[in-house]
Amino acid sequence: MIDVQNLSKQYQIAKRDPGLAGAVKSLFSRKYETKQAVQDISFQIQKGEMVGYIGANGAGKSTTIKMLSGILTPSSGVVRVNGIVPYENRRRNASQIGAVFGQRTQLFWDIPIRESYHLLKHIYQVPETEFQQRLEMFTDVLDLGPLLGIPVRQMSLGQKMRAELAAAFLHNPAVVFLDEPTIGLDVAVKDRIRAFIREMNRQQETTVILTTHDMQDIEEICNRIIIIDGGKILYDGALQAIKERFGDKRTIHFDLEKNDGFTIPYALATRVEQVVSHREAAGKSNSISLSFNNAEITAAEVISEMMQAYTIRDLTIDEVHIEQIVKDIYERGL
Amino acid sequence: MRYLRLYGHFFTAQLKVMMEYRLDFLVGVFSVVLIQFTSVFFVKVVFDQIQSLNGWSFYEVLFIYGIASTGRSIHHIFFDNLWTIGWQYIRNGEFDRFLIRPVNPLFHVIANRVQQDGFGQLAIGLILLLTAISHLSIVWTVGKVLLLIVMILSSGAVFVAVNLFFATLSFWMVDSLPIVVGVFQVAEFARYPLTIFSKEIRGLLTWVIPYGFTAFYPASAFIEHSGYQSVALLTPVVAVVSCWIAYWFWGKGLRAYTSTGS
């Protein structure tokens, strides 16, 4: 379905000296800096796959998505979506893809979404009966009924995102790009959105590419992840494998009553390691962070050993963040 | 043909919104009428002092005004979104949305907005035209009526082309709105008989920014003593050529956008 080969993209960025003087200077002579946004990446995605495309901000995620959707032309390499080269045949590609791009709306700002959907029907040339069926189903699964008469302008974030999702799937696209579809939403709406995506994939075999920072999104939707960092692919494979390796890593932050020379309690020494953040390194803080692998030791054990050795004022347990996994892979390799 | 029908759908959807906000609609139309009326009033005051302007009578100048206003209303109603391409779409990346739709992105940008205030412009234009015509001794034949319609459409097309050309600069700069506004101001000159201006300004308004073809030249086709009756017939040609150049430039801008994604 999606075939990406040796894809690269670099930008020219105008460099400017700081301050007003720099701004004036840049009017006359500009130095350019080349930024390599995506470097020689290749992957294939089969029909019906749901892939999490993850990485830190600025890793090259959206540049890749933009090249897949035809918004950007690559510097080198080849992209094919369902056999079509998106940046050469942008309009043909557009009719077979759908997208939800983060906070931006695909819908018409002032127009009630029912009208918006009708316009989209005409834009994508969806046959009337198909349109009616789909809208009915979406209204049901995403609970859009009460929203149809309201313009996006007046909607809450959760309502808007549900409306957006319906818009992205309205023309039954073969591939859908979802950029942070659950960001800032409450748990109930997140659940509904995830269920909808799974349902569309089951019914229509829609290929889904999902970029997110939410580990839960990935666990509930994707069976495969591609991790990108610095424009290069760090990992491409099953979610399970990466979770086994890194997903069990947790961190607990302790707030000690007083801190005069901390050492890890003997019972924990081999199974726990201290993570030193910048603030803690400065030695002014009483907080200590310990990281450990869930498979080797439980959080309860770590906490109880610590409580015996020190007076603990407070503690927080960190869940695994995708950023942490990326960082771990980056620092230690696979 | 498909685009025409699609435009119809865009248009009706927005019309519904306009009807919902009736007060906004009326205020918008009224303010444009007021602005236009002030400038016509100014011409009237001038003509109270003088008999003719370089051989042009009050109603002949009104006729030029009428063509300019009607032509401009086409631009104002249907193509108003061109003004703000820069800050509304390109600067914040909203433009991406048009690129993932299976329609021409320029069409989409244009269809996305129907400017209600333009109806005020249209009303004023038609009133001016009718007033002027009733005082001028032009012999109206079917051919001449058709010619007038072609001239007004061409006038609108020239407005659109010039605006599109300068709005396209937004692909390279942060916001071209000040330039677009500046250039548009020049159109004010073109509402008077061009013969009152120096050769340089006349040349500028004819060959560089062809605003002369939005009012003065098309009007000349109907005024026998104008001395520009043959140049006047070039109006539709100029309209087509300027649209072509502007669209070509737009295409270049679009390619710049898709290769940098600024």
Side-chain angles (χ1 to χ4, degrees), chain B residues 191-255:
Chain B
R191 293 184 171 205
Y192 296 92
L194 289 193
T195 48
I196 66 171
F197 298 118
S198 69
K199 222 171 86 194
E200 290 75 23
I201 293 184
R202 232 182 307 157
L204 176 82
L205 289 174
T206 308
W207 304 115
V208 185
I209 302 172
Y211 276 143
F213 290 94
T214 61
F216 172 67
Y217 291 123
S220 299
F222 302 90
I223 313 283
E224 271 167 37
H225 67 80
S226 68
Y228 286 96
Q229 276 186 305
S230 45
V231 183
L233 296 177
L234 278 178
T235 305
V237 181
V238 170
V240 170
V241 171
S242 6
C243 283
W244 184 81
I245 293 173
Y247 190 69
W248 166 83
F249 190 53
W250 163 266
K252 275 186 91 70
L254 201 57
R255 272 193 298 283

Side-chain angles (χ1 to χ4, degrees), chain A residues 161-193:
Chain A
M161 202 49 102
R162 273 146 57 204
E164 292 290 331
L165 223 62
F169 281 91
L170 205 56
H171 52 291
N172 195 21
V175 181
V176 171
F177 302 104
L178 303 172
D179 185 7
E180 301 276 6
T182 62
I183 194 164
L185 303 181
D186 65 53
V187 182
V189 180
K190 276 186 183 180
D191 272 349
R192 206 178 262 280
I193 284 178

Side-chain angles (χ1 to χ4, degrees), chain B residues 147-169:
Chain B
L147 183 66
L148 182 62
I149 293 171
V150 170
M151 287 302 187
I152 289 171
L153 292 178
S154 305
S155 160
V158 171
F159 275 119
V160 172
V162 172
N163 237 19
L164 174 59
F165 187 91
F166 289 97
T168 297
L169 291 173

